[in-house]
Amino acid sequence: MDFIINVIHWSGAENIFTIGSFGIRYYSMCWLLAFVVSYILMLQVFKREGKSQEDLDQLTLYIFLGTILGARLGHCLFYEFDYYIQRPLEMFLPFRKGNDGWEFTGFAGLASHGAAIGILTALYLYARKTKTNFIWIADRLILVVPIAGAFVRIGNFFNSEIIGKAADPTLPWAVVFTQVDNVPRHPGQLYEAVGYILLFILLWVFYQKNQHPKPGLLFGIFLVCLFGIRFFVEFYKENQEAFENSMFINMGQLLSVPFILAGLYLIFRQAPTKKLK
């Protein structure tokens, strides 16, 4: 049809290259870049704060495990609870049992809100083990979370998943995800990625220019802004599961509200008089 000639047609690109049955996926590469770039940036932060690279290596292990486990459990419990509550073992296996037996699916289903909960849990465990103040380390770790989130959303775009709602065909950046349908849509994944990149710049500049901000202030700004971005962009994204169609706001927005409220509390609470270490 003529009215969709000028929109961007995206056919998807799952694999960077494939050799036989083995392939390296763009989505996997984006996850890898998220961790590598975050590590490089956090190494700068740790050096500035007088912390060792060994401390960062230990933190990275905690965060990696917390992110993967949290993201997986978050998807299973928030979005497909009815299915996985009857098949709990499949939460942790890259297989799903179908009519023709078990099939390899990978870990098909990761939820960012679950990842957030997993990261906070891992951060708490790390802080307790190393006797580091939780708020102090949270104020530093969140500097890199937005850029990591941007990489993940770009990976979602490559996979033609978490697609946006139908858009005006005259919108210059409307995208037709040809693997899905022929409807011009908002590139919601890229909206979110751009928002996260801008938030990363804001937090990084604020940190560089303010050596001693109120404890929890950066963490609070991060929570309000990141989950505020998520809440807003959800208006331009299709619901992930059918049950969300009957909700006033979808699951992604509902799960964002507690994080935003926690962020507001951290921003406006009175600063503790005891210096954090």
Side-chain angles (χ1 to χ4, degrees), residues 149-214:
F151 277 115
V152 173
R153 285 296 177 249
I154 292 170
N156 294 140
F157 182 83
F158 275 112
N159 275 0
S160 297
E161 61 191 5
I162 314 182
I163 59 174
K165 292 182 178 179
D168 187 330
T170 63
L171 189 70
W173 54 83
V175 176
V176 173
F177 294 95
T178 56
Q179 288 186 355
V180 180
D181 53 31
N182 291 314
V183 178
R185 296 180 178 276
H186 290 280
Q189 315 96 321
L190 300 185
Y191 291 172
E192 208 167 333
V194 170
Y196 292 166
I197 291 170
L198 294 176
L199 177 57
F200 162 73
I201 294 171
L202 170 68
L203 293 172
W204 191 261
V205 171
F206 187 91
Y207 172 73
Q208 295 294 333
K209 292 184 177 295
N210 296 272
Q211 292 188 358
H212 302 290
K214 180 181 74 172

Side-chain angles (χ1 to χ4, degrees), residues 27 31 67-79 109-118 153 162 230 255:
Y27 183 71
W31 268 88
T67 300
I68 299 300
L69 290 174
R72 180 59 179 164
L73 288 173
H75 172 81
C76 296
L77 298 178
F78 297 149
Y79 292 96
L110 300 171
S112 58
H113 290 90
I117 295 171
R153 285 296 177 249
I162 314 182
R230 176 67 187 270
L255 293 171

